[in-house]
Amino acid sequence: MDRLDNTIRPYAWGSTTAIPQLLGVEPTGEPQAEMWMGAHPGAPSRTDRGTLVDVIAADPERELGAAAVAKFGPTLPFLLKILAAGSPLSLQVHPNLDQAREGYADEERRGIPVDAPHRNYKDANHKPELICALTEFDGLCGFRDPNEAAELLDGLGVDSLKPYVDLLHAHPEDAALREVLTAVLTADREEMARTVAEATAACSRLGGAYAPYADLAHHYPGDPGVIAAMLLNHVRLQPGEALYLGAGIPHAYLDGLGVEIMANSDNVLRCGLTPKHVDVPELLRIVRFEPSDPGVLRPEASPDGEEVYETPIDEFRLSRYVLPAGGAAHDLTRATPQILLCTAGTVRAGEHELTPGRSVFVPAGEKAEVSGTGTVFRATVVA
């Protein structure tokens, strides 16, 4: 197995302290948002054999296993991250596989450069994802029941929000949600900025359930995404709890440290809370306008001590082992590629000693035994 040297991405929303604290190093004073583990060409992990992209490309079947290559092609189909949100990320949604292929092919035909700021599809893949909290973790996930959203907006006492309240009481629910989100995102920017300012003052005054939206407005004053966010479920995860975010589900991460895993894609359509490009027509084509429970996941324990976060897709499978002092070693050998990540304590993986934030890549079929005292996350695929 290969010890990984991973890139930390300095996005502006990143915490300045959470990742350094996990790694046991001094903060630099700059935001440290994500640490990437995998073979994404944007920031591939490095090994003693070269980048993980190069290692896999040299012998895909040896590194990934024949079954994974047959199912997903000669690339690692997932990207594992440590994510540290110090301020809210953009409100966003991801396409399904057919939408991603269509959108990517269309933008390629139109000659839009992949790095163009108005480009929506950086690749032809979907991007389902799972976030597992390491600390208390706040997020927004999926639409509220429209009547609940109407009650929340109405409670602000802002006259310019009354038409949205009335629309949310209409039927059917999917049409009501579509109309309101469309109206919010296409409203006159100056008028919407005034509405957001009034709503922000009310959120600050009322507190309680309104407090998260006052914080959003502090970071993104006047942004229509503040009102759009109030259509979504607010979720607070406790350590060990997780959220699965499938295609078309609007979401945003607000604050906290977590382990994130996703299909190996960079396709994002933004709804707000960002200075970046918002393509409203394409966004409305992708969003699933249906109220849903956020569906907080708790791991399901197996007899061998593996705790699995069950999801409906095959590109990734995330689980963890909580290793007690004096406990037996666990054989994690598997016919698919794995990344093992320590998040607490000290764990021995093969010949490597892992402390929090350290990780290894295990080629398909390679013997993998873990022992020690701590927590290790296991990322692999279903093939």
Side-chain angles (χ1 to χ4, degrees), residues 146-210:
N147 289 319
E148 292 178 9
E151 183 178 350
L152 193 70
L153 291 176
D154 197 34
L156 293 171
V158 175
D159 288 343
S160 53
L161 291 176
K162 299 296 186 185
Y164 303 146
V165 172
D166 293 340
L167 283 171
L168 287 166
H169 286 306
H171 292 282
E173 291 181 335
D174 58 345
L177 291 167
R178 177 182 287 274
E179 282 196 54
V180 173
L181 185 63
T182 303
V184 168
L185 296 181
T186 58
D188 178 84
R189 295 295 296 218
E190 289 188 8
E191 290 181 11
M192 178 53 65
R194 287 193 290 271
T195 295
V196 172
E198 286 186 59
T200 300
C203 286
S204 299
R205 183 179 69 254
L206 294 167
Y210 292 98

Side-chain angles (χ1 to χ4, degrees), residues 304-316:
D304 68 352
E306 185 180 27
E307 299 177 340
V308 181
Y309 293 91
E310 296 288 353
T311 61
I313 52 97
D314 293 342
E315 281 89 344
F316 61 75

Side-chain angles (χ1 to χ4, degrees), residues 6-343:
N6 303 305
T7 297
I8 295 176
R9 310 305 295 262
Y11 306 136
W13 49 262
S15 167
T16 58
T17 59
I19 288 179
Q21 185 174 2
L22 181 74
L23 296 174
V25 300
E26 286 296 315
T28 64
E30 299 298 317
Q32 298 188 23
E34 297 179 346
M35 185 168 75
W36 287 22
M37 291 158 280
H40 191 287
S45 298
R46 298 169 293 278
T47 77
D48 288 341
R49 297 188 286 158
T51 72
L52 200 51
V53 168
D54 295 335
V55 167
I56 291 170
D59 194 344
E61 288 205 1
R62 164 71 185 86
E63 304 297 332
L64 305 177
V69 172
K71 191 167 187 176
F72 305 111
T75 57
L76 189 67
F78 64 82
L79 176 63
L80 184 67
K81 299 179 180 180
I82 292 175
L83 182 146
S87 59
L89 283 68
S90 62
L91 192 60
Q92 58 189 256
V93 70
H94 306 302
N96 64 30
L97 192 53
D98 287 341
Q99 290 164 340
R101 287 170 175 168
E102 292 167 7
Y104 180 78
D106 175 63
E107 291 186 328
E108 287 289 281
R109 276 195 303 270
R110 290 190 283 142
I112 301 174
V114 173
D115 59 354
H118 62 289
R119 173 108 184 198
N120 294 315
Y121 298 94
K122 306 297 177 67
D123 51 68
N125 201 11
H126 62 165
K127 193 186 176 187
E129 61 190 44
L130 178 79
I131 183 77
C132 177
L134 294 177
T135 64
E136 275 199 346
F137 194 97
D138 278 355
L140 303 170
C141 178
F143 285 109
R144 298 175 184 267
D145 178 280
N147 289 319
E148 292 178 9
E151 183 178 350
L152 193 70
L153 291 176
D154 197 34
L156 293 171
V158 175
D159 288 343
S160 53
L161 291 176
K162 299 296 186 185
Y164 303 146
V165 172
D166 293 340
L167 283 171
L168 287 166
H169 286 306
H171 292 282
E173 291 181 335
D174 58 345
L177 291 167
R178 177 182 287 274
E179 282 196 54
V180 173
L181 185 63
T182 303
V184 168
L185 296 181
T186 58
D188 178 84
R189 295 295 296 218
E190 289 188 8
E191 290 181 11
M192 178 53 65
R194 287 193 290 271
T195 295
V196 172
E198 286 186 59
T200 300
C203 286
S204 299
R205 183 179 69 254
L206 294 167
Y210 292 98
Y213 308 102
D215 186 62
L216 284 179
H218 168 74
H219 290 285
Y220 300 100
D223 193 305
V226 174
I227 305 301
M230 298 182 76
L231 304 176
L232 307 185
N233 298 295
H234 175 248
V235 184
R236 173 163 291 170
L237 300 178
Q238 297 304 310
E241 294 181 335
L243 286 175
Y244 171 72
L245 300 154
I249 303 297
H251 61 278
Y253 301 147
L254 306 182
D255 182 70
L257 180 71
V259 173
E260 185 183 33
I261 190 168
M262 61 190 63
N264 199 13
S265 171
D266 201 21
N267 286 326
V268 176
L269 288 111
R270 295 174 179 84
C271 315
L273 308 180
T274 178
K276 295 182 179 179
H277 176 61
V278 177
D279 184 337
V280 174
E282 186 64 11
L283 172 72
L284 297 174
R285 188 176 79 88
I286 300 302
V287 171
R288 287 166 53 187
F289 288 97
E290 54 190 46
S292 61
D293 184 278
V296 174
L297 294 176
R298 296 170 182 85
E300 298 183 14
S302 60
D304 68 352
E306 185 180 27
E307 299 177 340
V308 181
Y309 293 91
E310 296 288 353
T311 61
I313 52 97
D314 293 342
E315 281 89 344
F316 61 75
R317 176 184 183 273
L318 186 71
S319 61
R320 69 175 184 175
Y321 288 83
V322 180
L323 306 175
H330 293 267
D331 184 359
L332 274 56
T333 307
R334 190 177 171 93
T336 50
Q338 305 179 73
I339 292 178
L340 306 179
L341 165 68
C342 176
T343 58

